Amino acid sequence: MIFLQAILDYIVHLFDLLFVRVVQPFFVFLGQVLEFLIIAPLLFLSVPVSLQVVAVAVLSGLFSMLLRRFLNVEKKELTFKHAFTKKREEQQNIKMLSDWKTRDVLYRTSDNEIDEKYNIYLAQRFARHGIVYLLPVFFALFWLENLFSPETLTLLHGYPFLLPLPDNSYGIDGLSVSFVFLLSYVLTLLVCFWIRKKCKGYLERKS
């Protein structure tokens, strides 16, 4: 037991070293590069902090769409749907068998195979969507909330939120960095999907 605990402590220590010496410095460096490439030019142009957050959200949304295209998300989903439909059609042929025992065995085998492939598809779909949407959002929010922390916003504006709101009965004094970012990010995705749908329909009509 003591030996296993020592191994566990050593593994935890290795992960701590990996995070402190590799992961954390990498993300700090990446944040500095993004700050130089995105925030610095906007500051030079005297763009308000709220619009800087919107700009980062728009770029994050475009990056998500680029990742979606790079990972062939739509193609993989269409491939699965075609394979799933084909498997269901093959099941219809089982009805033609006269022996009910054989039909029952084949139905069960086919259903188990479909269930297994569907579960794999769901796991892969979740992983792809996590990479496409969650990772950019988590990283961008982590970076922005450190860059524009409540203390920094208080020094800049005199209040710890991104956008002040007029007096209201809901007790909300202002909008946070995360709220403005997520709203702008979702709107960016909606606009991108709308434009892509329009372009796809136009190309189909032309052909």
Side-chain angles (χ1 to χ4, degrees):
M1 190 67 181
I2 297 176
F3 177 72
L4 292 176
Q5 185 63 41
I7 293 177
L8 182 61
D9 291 341
Y10 180 72
I11 293 174
V12 171
H13 178 67
L14 285 179
F15 278 110
D16 287 340
L17 286 177
L18 180 65
F19 178 80
V20 171
R21 296 185 180 180
V22 179
V23 177
Q24 189 175 20
F26 170 75
F27 281 104
V28 169
F29 173 74
L30 184 58
Q32 291 173 345
V33 171
L34 291 176
E35 186 174 352
F36 175 77
L37 294 176
I38 301 173
I39 302 301
L42 296 177
L43 283 175
F44 179 77
L45 296 173
S46 300
V47 176
V49 175
S50 57
L51 292 182
Q52 294 178 32
V53 173
V54 171
V56 173
V58 171
L59 291 174
S60 298
L62 295 176
F63 182 68
S64 289
M65 296 301 293
L66 184 65
L67 276 177
R68 182 182 174 89
R69 184 176 180 84
F70 177 75
L71 294 176
N72 291 323
V73 172
E74 282 196 23
K75 183 178 179 181
K76 290 176 180 177
E77 290 188 358
L78 285 174
T79 300
F80 170 78
K81 288 178 181 178
H82 289 156
F84 187 82
T85 302
K86 184 178 179 181
K87 200 67 181 177
R88 283 296 188 187
E89 291 174 353
E90 290 175 354
Q91 272 191 331
Q92 302 303 315
N93 298 328
I94 300 176
K95 295 180 180 180
M96 301 175 63
L97 297 176
S98 57
D99 186 5
W100 69 269
K101 291 183 179 180
T102 304
R103 287 202 309 268
D104 185 60
V105 171
L106 291 177
Y107 266 125
R108 289 184 182 182
T109 304
S110 180
D111 284 340
N112 289 337
E113 185 179 351
I114 290 174
D115 289 342
E116 182 180 353
K117 289 184 177 180
Y118 186 70
N119 290 333
I120 293 174
Y121 161 75
L122 287 179
Q124 292 176 343
R125 189 171 189 266
F126 178 79
R128 285 194 296 268
H129 284 203
I131 294 172
V132 169
Y133 302 113
L134 295 182
L135 285 183
V137 166
F138 286 158
F139 174 75
L141 274 180
F142 177 78
W143 174 54
L144 286 174
E145 289 181 348
N146 279 278
L147 188 63
F148 301 122
S149 64
E151 295 78 15
T152 302
L153 293 175
T154 302
L155 290 174
L156 291 173
H157 304 139
Y159 41 81
F161 31 80
L162 191 62
L163 290 172
L165 292 177
D167 293 337
N168 57 79
S169 59
Y170 300 103
I172 302 175
D173 297 323
L175 302 180
S176 65
V177 170
S178 58
F179 179 86
V180 174
F181 172 86
L182 290 173
L183 178 62
S184 303
Y185 177 82
V186 171
L187 289 176
T188 301
L189 292 181
L190 291 176
V191 170
C192 287
F193 281 118
W194 180 81
I195 292 175
R196 193 183 62 173
K197 182 179 179 181
K198 289 294 183 181
C199 291
K200 186 177 180 181
Y202 174 77
L203 292 175
E204 288 176 352
R205 287 194 300 271
K206 291 286 287 185
S207 59

